[in-house]
Each structure stands twice: as structure tokens, then as C-alpha cells.
Amino acid sequence: MAIKASAVLERLVEGVMSLVEIPINALERLMGRKRVPYLFLAPNLVLFGIFTFLPIAISVGYAVTGGTNLFVTDRPFVGLDNFRQLLSCQDYSRPGTCQESLFWTAIWNTFWFVGFNVVATLLVALVTALILNRAMVGRGFFRAMFFYPVLLSPVVIGLIWKWFLDRNGLLNAFFEMMGVPPHVFLLEVGWARFFVVLVSVWFHMGFYTLILLAGLQAIPKDLYEAAAIDAASRRRTLFAITLPLLGPNLLVVLILLMIRSVQIFDEAWVLTNGGGPGTANSFIVQYIYQMAFGSDLRLLGLASAASVLMGVVLLALTLVQLRLARKTEEI
Amino acid sequence: MAGTINPVAFLGRTRRRGRIDITDILSWLWLIGGTIAVLVPVVWAGLSSMKPEAEITRFPPSLLPRTTQQVVVPGYDRPLGLWTVTIDGESREMAMVRRIGIKAQMVDPENPAAPVSVDARTISPVQKLTIATENYSDPLERFNFLTYLKNSVFVTVVATILTLIVNAMAAFALSKYRFRGDKAVFVLIISTLMIPLTVVMVPAYMVIVGVGLVDNLWGVIIPTVASPTGVFLLRQYMLTIPDELIEAARVDAASEFRIFWRIVLPLTAPALAVLAIFSVLWRWNDFLWPLIVLSSRENFTLQIGLNAFQGEFSVQWHYILAMTFLSLLPVTVVFLFLQKYITTGIAGTGMK
Amino acid sequence: MGELKLSSLNKAFGAVHVLHDIDLSVKDGEFVVFVGPSGCGKSTLLRIIAGLEDVTSGRIEIGGRDVGQLSPAERKIAMVFQSYALYPHMSVRKNLAFGLENLKFKRSEIDARIAEAARMLAIEPYLDRKPRQLSGGQRQRVAIGRAIVREPDIFLFDEPLSNLDAALRVQTRAEITRLHQQIKTTMIYVTHDQVEAMTMADKIVILRAGRVEQVGSPLELFDYPRNLFVAGFLGSPRMNIVRASIAGIGPEGASIDLGHGAVLPCDVDPAAVRPGQRVLAGIRPAHFQRVEEGGVPFVVQYYESLGTETYVYGALAETQEPIIVHETGHFAPPSGTRLAIAPMPGRLHVFDPDSELAIARRDAGQRRGAVHGN
Ligand SMILES: Nc1ncnc2c1ncn2[C@@H]1O[C@H](COP(=O)(O)OP(=O)(O)OP(=O)(O)O)[C@@H](O)[C@H]1O
Ligand SMILES: [Mg+2]
């Protein structure tokens, strides 16, 4: 039966394709084989053009225009006013003194988030990868286990954790068992920030573990054998062989992690009910989102100016990453 | 150093056969602890999603979904809750009639004529394992969850099919032809890897407005179709297909399009499968872009619906968790079956 | 039908000029072999004939029509690739059918042709296997089968035997020759193996660095190489080349001085040389014979005995120029032995050291056409 079904499917596909073929082959004959690659590229390039390159152009357009009109051509030109508004500040370390205090709050929140998240994720992923790299029984199982959250949606993760951290949730039950008074974790600034980082580590560490593990497994085994013959201690083996050889991978992971951390939004938004408590977990993407779409007053100029600034940072990070990736390949 | 554990040395070593020492134990502790940390919030949410509304907010919570057993006692209109009561050192099951302060009035279901009054602090409910299926069925019937599900499936399937076709075509052109500007086009496409959606979401929304796809599922699908990662992944794979095969097909009178779908596509199947898995995960889990584009309920995807749902029914955790679980289920099932494929695919390409 | 005519064909990849003014004509049913060292442009020329590569300038005619603008399929050619290029995801049967399906043949016709080709090549038992389930030799036959079912005007082969082991190569070589005799279609065959060229070809085209060096039947090329390159390329071990000079020109013709007072008659056209002229003498190892007197003194270094024949390696006594001498049967000269050797009559080739061209022979008129090419 199964064979029959697949044969039928094959026939079906063939039938459909032989119909699809007719106009395409006609076009091919019309254009000549030389130009066929352009035909194959066209859909992709059109989509890229409309949804990536055009928006980049519009983005710059928005950033230098004001008003709330959606169409760039209908917006008054304001030069660098949007940037000026974003960047004018008496004391950058105190967002309250800035004209766009929300923006600076978001910047600082993002800054701290990136710092803690990068360090924590990197450490956890590295330790896990090193452990999994030892010839462990059940490596496949644990690798899969740590990887599982990576596949979940940020909304699901936000909700699951929100429930876990609820006033009546499991964590508080555990606290009570220990005799600690219960907390409303997500309404207390310190706890809320802590858990945004923790959830982010929980969410993504499996991915970085996987990459680091692949890097570790690419280190030739005979190096370890040579080190063992040379009577190198474990500490020396780690610092003299494993980490240096993993170095390029670590750098790539670091940059990747930074690029992604800067763009924190989805899971934090769900977990903290939109950046709460107050603006304690309001990050830069959230700022852009809220400026542009948060209310009927669409401050597209400010949002785009902030996007452009973030884009520059991300671009710089990406260029560093590409550099490193190329170096890694050379090694 | 004797007797102390050196964490650095511990990580640096590779296991020696036949001996278990402290480093092995620490490794296992780390892994098992990690596994528990991964599982606990998920499993907890899963268990909670099966608890009835009355139970879910009980604190301290019970681990398993249970409900207080109810009995119908002659002479009372409503079913009464069953409790364990200790009277004169003897433990009995009695139904609670009412509760006043610390006193509870109980009746014996067998002998309802004579209620007794007991100290409410000494009694405990009789519970049994139940699964509150209404948590799942209610939202499916009363709210739009089936619509959300349908929308999510539609977006995921259509976007994945288009992603495969459009990017495979571009990858074919970029791997198997030499033409004027081939390098430039490749660089152009790859350079868009550097432009995450978060940076262009504002103007991209304007484009969507311009082409009239606001609040339309196609507005969610189409901008995601052309994927630089997809082009890159497929192109690298297609480069490994020998050019002679394509020339043989040309000699065999195949049109270029026929070469594409009869020769190149089948041979690219492994890479297409990886991209398909990625695309399914990306689209199923997408949040920010659909959040921007979709505005009316009947167009929501599961993730957006879920988010809206939690905003509106913020206290109705039994519904929220059930729906969360429904949306997590397909991904979990896919992962259970394709775990190896996914992890090796991701390790090999360094993307997600 | 299967005539092929190339006229002043040029091909450049960007700035790299890989084929220079190729002229060639092939008669219907001929078996033509392109040989030459690696990178000389054999594959490029073949692929240009196939239509897989554009020409930079020049004209290609197949069966009298200009096919320059036609696609491979329209040229009515079929090609067997070096790697066979079997479609790995299709069964052997589908591999054979693919081209015919593309040409919209009727199912019954397709099946008939596949059956016929499968019978001819003895691949019937494998028709429903995938290529990876076949041995190298079987794959090779399927690749040929895929060409046969198309019933092309010209078969093109690009080093089809290079992936086979030695024994299979000899066997398949014979099979292809037999196939050619059976179907009598024009075949163009690229190889860098001179044995294949010598044994299979009706006509050999020797290429070097994108130019045709010589075209002719295998024996013509072997006996009358047009230049040093051709002389050295065909024949194994290579032709010995020694410095020499024209000793004199007498009524018997010219004589050549190989050194050591060995002056031998040679059949160069006396009008083409002058006494005392420096030349290069080429003698194939098999064309040396041992002589009692008047030969060239040769000091044996070592020898390789192959049973039926022996190769003696050594050098000319005075000039130390290395020489290989071929002897039939058993021959075991100890190292240091001095032998007197001389070329067999008429087997001495004389080349001009500057132009590297063979110096015309007295009997050149009888062999018109043997030395053409460019
Ligand atoms: N696509 C190309 N782009 C640039 N140069 C090429 C290309 N194809 C071939 N060449 C060059 O053209 C020359 C001839 O190549 P060709 O493949 O025809 O050699 P060949 O005689 O078949 O050698 P071999 O015996 O090694 O197969 C080589 O110098 C090669 O580097
Ligand atoms: Mg070649």
C-alpha cells in the first residue's frame, strides 16, 4: 500500500509539474538559456527588494522626517531632530534627565541585560558543553534535553515561567517549605530583572551548548593523547589545549549571543507584561515597538531613528562576527 | 590540594574508563540538575493545565491535578464536598454542609439526618485524580482557539513551502550558473543576514500597508519567504552536486527548469529537510512580526492569540495554561521524532 | 548524419585563451580520439562540440548544419562523462529513460530502446537498481547505455575509463571498440592514455596547449610524428632523443653522425638539410638493434626484465645521454656492459632542434596527408 501511495504521489507531482513547466519552459525559450539564472533569482530578489532593501531606505526616510503620517512622502523633513531628541541628555547615566527618558531607560536596561545574559549564558553553555564532551553515557539525551527549550515559542516560555513564578506558583510553594516568605517575583524590580535573565539563559543555552560542543568535538583526539603522554594536568589540558582551540568558536558564540541579546523582546514582553514592573524590563526593541505601534500616536520618526542606531550597533557586531568566522575557517 | 575539588581541573579532564570519581559525580549532578531545571517549569505548567479552576490557585499547590470529591446527599440540593473527619479518634468521610468560622457542619452521607459540628482546622478534603478536560475543550469551543490554530498551521505550512521553493531557486542559480553579477547578487543576499527584522520592522510595516496586506495572514507570510539563511544553506549544499550531472541532463534534452526539479531538488533533499524544519519552527513560534501585522481576532496566530488571551483572562490560568500546552505540543512531538536531525542540522549550520 | 567539421575554433575563458584556431573534420562513423597532456583543452573541445560550452569564435557543423547556436539536445549528440554522471536518485531504467522522456518519446518506444540497450550492454539484471548499488564497471556500462538509447549522430566520451581499474579498463576498451563496430556511429573520445588512443582510434588528434599538433591514423602518427612533441607523446617508453648532426649528403642520400664516429644513413630529404647541421635524432627503444660494428657505444646501467621483453637503461658512452633500448626475450647484461647499438633502417627520426619539427623525408610525397593538422 505504502509503495502504491508514493507512486501515486509521484505521478501527481509529475502531473502538476508538467503543467507548471509549460509556461516556464516557454519563458526559458523566449529568454534563452543564458538568462535563466535571472529567472530563478527573480522571486527571491523581488522579495528581498520589497521587504528588506526598500524598508532600509524607508527607515532612513522616517528617521529624518517627523509627524505621524505613515507615508514617507507625506512627512515633513526634520533633519536630525529625531536623533537629537533621542540623544539629548544631561546625564546619560540617569535616564530621568534625558529628553527621551524611556529611550535611555531602555538602553540601560538592555545594556545590563546584555552584560548579565551574555556572561551567564556563555558560562552555563561552556560548562555544559565541556561536560557533555567527556565520553558520557547519555550524551545524546542530555544534549536533546538542554536543547528542547530552544524550539519553544517565546510566548509559551513567557507564560510557562510566569505561572511558575506566580504568587501561587511552584517556586513560592518551595520557598514556603523552606520558610521563606512568598514573593510576587515579577512585580519586584530585582527579582523581575533576575528572572528575565534566568529565563533567557534557560531558553537559549541549549543552542550555544550545541555549537560549543560541535567545536569541542572538532578538536583532534590525538592532542589529548599527546597531552596525556606529556603528563599534562587536567588544568593544563583545559587551558593549554581545549580553550585555545575552542577560542574562535567561543568568540563567535560571544558575538552571536550579543547580537541576539541586544534584540531581546518576545519572551521578556510576555513574561513581564510589557516590560514591567514599571519600566524595569523595558528594552530597546520594546521602545521601538511602542513608539511605532504602541499607541495610535505613531512616532515613526523616533522609532526609526532608534532602529537606525540599533542597526549600526548590530552591524558593527555582525562585521566582527564575520571577521571571526572567516578566521575560524582559516584555522 | 588533596581532598579538595578543583573545579577547573574537573572540567578539563576526559573520563577514564572503569573508575568513578568526584568529577563524574559532579558532572552527573550538573546534568541531572539541568535536566530538572529544564523540565520542572514545563511539566509544572502541564500538570497545572489539567487542574480545575478551583484547584489551580490553591496555595500551597498540590502536585497532581486533583479535585475534592463530591457526594449527593439526600435532603440537600447541591452536591456536597467530601472531607475526612476524625471524631473520637476514629477517621470518617463526611460531607460538609456549611462552614462558619472555624466550625464546620458535617453530615454522614449514609445517615444524613444528624449533622455534627467539628473543628474546621482538623478536617481535610477527600480528593481524587482528575483531569479537567474542560480547560482544553472550553477555549476551543468558546474562544477562537481553533481559528488561531488554523491560522498558525496555514502560515507555517504555506510559508515553509514558499520558503523552500523561492530559496531553492535562488540557491540553484547561485550555485550552478555563472552569469554576470553572480558574486554581487550572492553578497547582496548574504548581507541581508545582517539586517534583523527588529531593525526594519517599522518601515516593513509601512510596506505591508502599502501593498495592502495589513491584518492579513499573507502579510505575515510573504516578508519571511526570502531567507538569506535559506539561500546560503541550500547553496552550500548544491555546490556539492557535481556539475557533470547537470550537464548530463542538459545533453539529455532537459530544460533548465526540468533540471531544477527533476535533478537538483531531489538531490538537495537533506538540506531542504533541514530548512523545512527550521522554517516550521520559525513560523510556528513567530511573535513580534505577526503582533505588528495582525490586528483582528479572526486573523490571530496561536502565539498572538495566546498573548492576547493572557492579557484578557489574566486570572484564568487554567485556560491559559491549557492553550499554552496545546501550542507547545506540536513542537514537542516534532522534536521527539526529529531530535537527532534537528540538533545535528543546527550544529552543522550554526543557525536557529 | 555524424560528420563533424570544426573551423578556426577559438575558446577563451576570460583572458585565458585555451583553444587556438582548431580545424578538424571527422567523417561519419569514424572513431576519433583526442589525446594530449592534462590541461591541453581536450575536455573543453569536447564540451564545445557537445554545446555545453560556447565558442569564442569559429564554426561547428554537425551533419552539415551549423550547430553553434543549438542546445546540446538539438545537436543530436550524446555524451559519456568521466564520472559517468548517472542521476543518483533514479534507477538505472529511469536514468536511461530520462533523455527520451524529455524528448517526449512514446512510452513503448522508450521501453523498447531501453530493452535493446540493456541487452547490448548486458545490464538487464540491474535495471531497477540505483547507481550506487552498481560496481564501477556496471556504472560505466549504464552511462554508455544512456548515450546509446538516444541514438545520437555523434557519441562523445570524456575519459570514460579513467575511473576503472587496469583489468576492467582493458575489457571496457574492447567493448567500446566492439560497440563502435556494431553501431558504426561517429565517436569522439577524449583520453590522455596513449594506449587507448593507439588501440581504439581510426584517427588520433594530438593536442598541446590548445593547438592541434597532428592528426592521423595511429600508425601514421607513430611512424611519422610531425614534431618532437608528438614523437615523445606516443610510444612507451618514450622515444630516445639524442643530439646529432648531418654528416654529409651523398648520392645515397644524407647520412647522420650520432657521435663516436657512428655515421649512419638516414632518409631525410637531402634538399632539406645541409652538411654539419645540428639536428636531434629520435629512435624508439624498440627500434634499436645490437650491431657488431659501426654502432654507437652504449653503457648499460640496469635493465627491467618483463619476461617476453627487456628494457635496458643506460647512456651513450661519450655524451652520457640517457638511452632506453628494447630487446625481445631474455637479455641480462650486467651493469657496465658496453654494447654497440644502431637504429633499424628507416626508423630514425630527424628533428630540427629549433623548430622541433620533423625534417622532411625523402619519401614524403608518398604519405600525403599524414602530416597535416594546423
Ligand atoms: N571554466 C573554466 N574557466 C577557466 N578556465 C578553464 C575552465 N575550464 C577549463 N579551463 C582551463 O582550460 C584549460 C583546458 O582545460 P581542459 O579541461 O579542457 O583540459 P583537459 O585537456 O581536459 O585536461 P585533463 O586531461 O586534465 O582533463 C585548462 O588550462 C583549464 O585550466
Ligand atoms: Mg578533461
Side-chain angles (χ1 to χ4, degrees):
Chain A
M1 272 319 273
I3 293 165
K4 227 172 172 181
S6 77
V8 168
L9 190 71
E10 201 170 305
R11 273 284 152 80
L12 195 76
V13 170
E14 213 138 302
V16 171
M17 289 309 286
S18 58
L19 283 182
V20 173
E21 239 176 19
I22 296 169
I24 297 182
N25 286 348
L27 205 58
E28 186 179 313
R29 232 163 296 136
L30 204 70
M31 292 173 57
R33 285 194 176 223
K34 285 272 117 66
R35 263 161 291 200
V36 165
Y38 299 105
L39 199 64
F40 278 110
L41 274 173
N44 208 285
L45 288 184
V46 167
L47 288 175
F48 270 128
I50 297 180
F51 294 107
T52 303
F53 295 113
L54 183 60
I56 293 173
I58 298 176
S59 193
V60 175
Y62 274 157
V64 296
T65 53
T68 56
N69 210 310
L70 201 53
F71 289 90
V72 180
T73 42
D74 301 339
R75 296 163 59 87
F77 181 80
V78 297
L80 294 180
D81 277 3
N82 289 317
F83 292 95
R84 223 167 279 139
Q85 187 176 345
L86 284 181
L87 297 175
S88 82
C89 207
Q90 285 162 14
D91 178 355
Y92 287 107
S93 64
R94 286 185 298 136
T97 66
C98 301
Q99 193 176 350
E100 270 300 304
S101 62
L102 268 182
F103 178 68
W104 283 95
T105 309
I107 294 240
W108 281 111
N109 285 343
T110 309
F111 178 83
W112 287 114
F113 172 81
V114 170
F116 284 113
N117 187 51
V118 165
V119 171
T121 309
L122 198 61
L123 274 181
V124 173
L126 181 61
V127 170
T128 312
L130 285 170
I131 289 180
L132 287 179
N133 189 42
R134 311 169 74 209
M136 296 283 301
V137 196
R139 177 196 288 161
F141 169 79
F142 287 114
R143 194 180 56 180
M145 207 64 245
F146 291 123
F147 189 73
Y148 173 62
V150 174
L151 302 179
L152 299 182
S153 92
V155 178
V156 163
I157 286 186
L159 290 176
I160 286 177
W161 274 91
K162 210 168 159 180
W163 175 238
F164 184 73
L165 301 174
D166 192 79
R167 167 65 184 79
N168 293 332
L170 196 59
L171 193 60
N172 269 324
F174 181 72
F175 270 30
E176 187 170 88
M177 250 169 59
M178 295 302 191
V180 181
H183 288 271
V184 190
F185 295 106
L186 294 173
L187 293 184
E188 297 171 31
V189 172
W191 280 113
R193 284 182 169 158
F194 170 79
F195 276 111
V196 167
V197 174
L198 185 112
V199 168
S200 173
V201 174
W202 184 89
F203 188 178
H204 300 291
M205 60 84 61
F207 172 69
Y208 299 102
T209 302
L210 208 62
I211 295 187
L212 289 177
L213 188 59
L216 283 173
Q217 297 193 329
I219 299 177
K221 293 283 165 288
D222 46 6
L223 282 181
Y224 289 106
E225 283 155 17
I229 290 169
D230 285 343
S233 68
R234 294 170 193 171
R235 175 203 289 264
R236 265 190 74 79
T237 311
L238 177 67
F239 282 108
I241 295 178
T242 309
L243 290 185
L245 287 177
L246 193 61
N249 294 55
L250 273 174
L251 275 175
V252 169
V253 164
L254 182 78
I255 303 288
L256 210 58
L257 196 50
M258 269 158 74
I259 293 173
R260 300 221 173 123
S261 300
V262 171
Q263 298 176 67
I264 172 82
F265 174 75
D266 302 2
E267 66 265 30
W269 169 266
V270 177
L271 184 68
T272 64
N273 279 330
T279 55
N281 283 301
S282 149
F283 300 109
I284 187 74
V285 172
Q286 182 183 333
Y287 173 81
I288 297 170
Y289 172 77
Q290 283 179 325
M291 285 298 119
F293 309 109
S295 64
D296 290 336
L297 188 70
R298 294 179 182 278
L299 298 174
L300 299 173
L302 275 186
S304 286
S307 297
V308 168
L309 291 179
M310 182 173 79
V312 169
V313 172
L314 292 177
L315 192 70
L317 285 173
T318 310
L319 291 177
V320 174
Q321 186 211 354
L322 287 182
R323 256 272 156 73
L324 290 174
R326 194 163 321 135
K327 274 226 184 92
T328 324
E329 262 161 38
E330 282 164 11
I331 288 170
Chain B
M1 290 294 277
T4 62
I5 303 152
N6 180 335
V8 170
F10 147 65
L11 290 173
R13 82 181 280 273
T14 46
R15 201 173 77 104
R16 233 172 278 137
R17 267 176 205 295
R19 258 181 42 194
I20 291 179
D21 61 21
I22 188 79
T23 60
D24 292 300
I25 295 170
L26 285 180
S27 296
W28 281 103
L29 280 182
W30 177 276
L31 294 179
I32 291 169
T35 307
I36 291 173
V38 167
L39 283 180
V40 160
V42 180
V43 171
W44 173 241
L47 288 175
S48 302
S49 78
M50 293 182 270
K51 292 179 180 175
E53 187 178 1
E55 280 297 306
I56 198 165
T57 50
R58 173 201 288 281
F59 189 84
S62 61
L63 201 57
L64 295 174
R66 294 193 292 194
T67 45
T68 303
Q69 216 168 336
Q70 311 252 314
V71 284
V72 180
V73 182
Y76 299 90
D77 328 333
R78 293 182 304 115
L80 302 176
L82 205 56
W83 297 72
T84 308
V85 183
T86 311
I87 297 173
D88 308 331
E90 183 195 349
S91 148
R92 298 165 55 184
E93 288 187 357
M94 300 184 79
M96 183 191 285
V97 179
R98 71 176 71 83
R99 181 172 180 165
I100 309 139
I102 58 161
K103 285 287 167 199
Q105 200 175 35
M106 315 294 288
V107 295
D108 187 340
E110 309 293 307
N111 179 17
V116 290
S117 187
V118 298
D119 186 342
R121 285 167 301 184
T122 64
I123 62 176
S124 58
V126 176
Q127 293 186 316
K128 67 167 198 275
L129 270 180
T130 42
I131 291 174
T133 47
E134 69 274 13
N135 291 353
Y136 286 82
S137 54
D138 279 5
L140 288 180
E141 285 158 16
R142 299 220 312 268
F143 313 117
N144 283 333
F145 254 90
L146 273 183
T147 315
Y148 303 160
L149 190 68
K150 200 189 71 202
N151 290 341
S152 263
V153 169
F154 177 76
V155 166
T156 305
V157 170
V158 173
T160 299
I161 291 173
L162 289 178
T163 299
L164 292 182
I165 295 174
V166 167
N167 295 310
M169 278 168 58
F172 177 49
L174 291 173
S175 62
K176 290 295 168 217
Y177 291 93
R178 271 172 294 142
F179 54 94
R180 191 196 291 272
D182 50 358
K183 296 251 162 50
V185 170
F186 182 62
V187 170
L188 198 68
I189 289 179
I190 292 307
S191 69
T192 62
L193 269 175
M194 294 188 224
I195 303 150
L197 170 76
T198 49
V199 173
V200 291
M201 63 183 178
V202 178
Y205 176 75
M206 196 232 119
V207 173
I208 289 292
V209 173
V211 294
L213 289 177
V214 174
D215 198 20
N216 186 320
L217 290 178
W218 288 101
V220 175
I221 293 171
I222 291 176
T224 62
V225 162
S227 149
T229 359
V231 173
F232 186 71
L233 173 77
L234 296 177
R235 174 180 176 269
Q236 293 311 91
Y237 195 89
M238 286 180 187
L239 286 176
T240 66
I241 298 176
D243 288 345
E244 284 199 345
L245 274 186
I246 285 149
E247 290 174 345
R250 243 168 239 162
V251 171
D252 265 343
S255 69
E256 299 299 304
F257 183 67
R258 206 173 170 82
I259 292 173
F260 172 64
W261 77 269
R262 285 293 302 270
I263 309 289
V264 174
L265 272 194
L267 293 177
T268 315
L272 287 171
V274 171
L275 183 61
I277 292 171
F278 282 137
S279 173
V280 165
L281 292 173
W282 289 333
R283 299 292 82 85
W284 185 261
N285 291 339
D286 250 355
F287 180 60
L288 182 53
W289 184 243
L291 182 68
I292 293 171
V293 174
L294 303 176
S295 54
S296 59
R297 253 169 200 286
E298 68 269 19
N299 288 329
F300 278 2
T301 60
L302 209 47
Q303 309 302 332
I304 307 307
L306 210 52
N307 180 55
F309 197 65
Q310 72 127 354
E312 289 160 36
F313 300 88
S314 57
V315 284
Q316 307 212 8
W317 272 107
H318 56 299
Y319 287 152
I320 296 173
L321 288 175
M323 293 307 101
T324 303
F325 236 69
L326 270 191
S327 104
L328 163 155
L329 213 58
V331 173
T332 309
V333 171
V334 166
F335 186 58
L336 281 181
F337 285 104
L338 301 178
Q339 178 265 115
K340 191 134 212 173
Y341 219 154
I342 295 174
T343 44
T344 47
I346 287 178
T349 57
M351 63 185 200
K352 65 170 177 177
Chain C
M1 284 304 289
E3 301 92 13
L4 171 71
K5 192 162 179 335
L6 308 178
S7 358
S8 37
L9 210 74
N10 279 280
K11 173 70 182 173
F13 289 109
V16 193
H17 208 145
V18 296
L19 292 177
H20 304 263
D21 284 324
I22 307 279
D23 289 302
L24 182 70
S25 53
V26 175
K27 291 199 279 291
D28 185 28
E30 244 180 340
F31 196 116
V32 178
V33 174
F34 293 173
V35 277
S38 186
C40 68
K42 309 177 293 284
S43 299
T44 306
L45 185 54
L46 195 74
R47 292 160 49 79
I48 284 176
I49 296 170
L52 292 170
E53 207 83 67
D54 287 336
V55 291
T56 307
S57 70
R59 189 179 159 85
I60 311 170
E61 288 170 30
I62 293 177
R65 13 167 230 163
D66 181 354
V67 297
Q69 296 308 311
L70 300 185
S71 70
E74 292 163 327
R75 294 183 185 196
K76 294 207 69 185
I77 51 103
M79 185 155 170
V80 176
F81 291 84
Q82 182 171 2
S83 67
Y84 315 144
L86 299 177
Y87 311 121
H89 57 300
M90 297 185 191
S91 66
V92 169
R93 190 187 300 281
K94 287 201 169 154
N95 262 282
L96 298 188
F98 186 67
L100 300 175
E101 285 168 2
N102 293 336
L103 292 167
K104 307 255 182 297
F105 274 78
K106 280 211 195 60
R107 196 74 241 173
S108 56
E109 172 73 8
I110 295 179
D111 291 339
R113 286 200 187 184
I114 292 177
E116 167 71 8
R119 193 189 51 71
M120 208 145 82
L121 295 164
I123 52 173
E124 285 143 318
Y126 325 123
L127 277 179
D128 291 309
R129 290 203 204 159
K130 293 271 171 68
R132 67 167 176 283
Q133 298 165 313
L134 301 178
S135 72
Q138 291 161 350
R139 279 180 215 175
Q140 165 72 69
R141 290 213 290 279
V142 173
I144 294 175
R146 187 170 63 181
I148 290 178
V149 293
R150 298 274 312 281
E151 297 182 359
D153 287 349
I154 301 183
F155 281 95
L156 305 174
F157 295 86
D158 192 356
E159 305 202 27
L161 306 186
S162 60
N163 288 332
L164 301 179
D165 65 43
L168 208 50
R169 200 169 336 181
V170 173
Q171 184 193 332
T172 315
R173 203 165 74 199
E175 277 170 20
I176 293 178
T177 307
R178 199 165 51 238
L179 182 73
H180 179 241
Q181 285 159 359
Q182 208 175 334
I183 61 179
K184 297 190 178 58
T185 306
T186 311
M187 291 189 175
I188 298 180
Y189 187 104
V190 164
T191 180
H192 56 242
D193 177 358
Q194 48 150 321
V195 180
E196 278 172 31
M198 295 297 289
T199 53
M200 300 173 90
D202 295 328
K203 184 192 262 178
I204 294 181
V205 178
I206 295 195
L207 290 160
R208 173 169 62 155
R211 289 177 210 274
V212 174
E213 292 289 328
Q214 192 170 0
V215 179
S217 75
L219 289 183
E220 270 170 5
L221 264 55
F222 188 78
D223 291 342
Y224 305 106
R226 201 177 74 93
N227 59 24
L228 265 182
F229 175 78
V230 175
F233 192 80
L234 288 184
S236 172
R238 291 168 69 89
M239 183 186 277
N240 297 296
I241 304 289
V242 295
R243 275 169 287 161
S245 58
I246 300 296
I249 299 168
E252 294 293 290
S255 58
I256 190 166
D257 179 0
L258 294 179
H260 318 277
V263 175
L264 303 165
C266 77
D267 54 3
V268 294
D269 182 354
V273 291
R274 53 186 165 70
Q277 180 182 349
R278 304 217 144 272
V279 293
L280 293 173
I283 307 113
R284 296 192 188 279
H287 294 158
F288 271 120
Q289 57 192 356
R290 274 180 285 157
V291 289
E292 296 303 318
E293 57 183 274
V296 192
F298 166 77
V299 182
V300 175
Q301 285 162 349
Y302 62 97
Y303 62 90
E304 285 173 350
S305 232
L306 302 179
T308 55
E309 54 201 328
T310 305
Y311 293 108
V312 184
Y313 294 81
L316 294 187
E318 203 151 299
T319 56
Q320 299 300 315
E321 282 174 294
I323 292 287
I324 305 171
V325 175
H326 172 263
E327 286 287 328
T328 51
H330 293 195
F331 180 58
S335 179
T337 310
R338 282 176 83 97
L339 301 170
I341 53 170
M344 295 172 183
R347 294 300 199 172
L348 181 78
H349 306 268
V350 183
F351 301 95
D352 179 79
D354 301 320
S355 69
E356 298 194 348
L357 288 176
I359 294 173
R361 298 200 186 199
R362 260 193 313 202
D363 55 356
Q366 296 158 18
R367 297 177 294 103
R368 286 271 296 281
V371 183
H372 54 80
N374 66 337

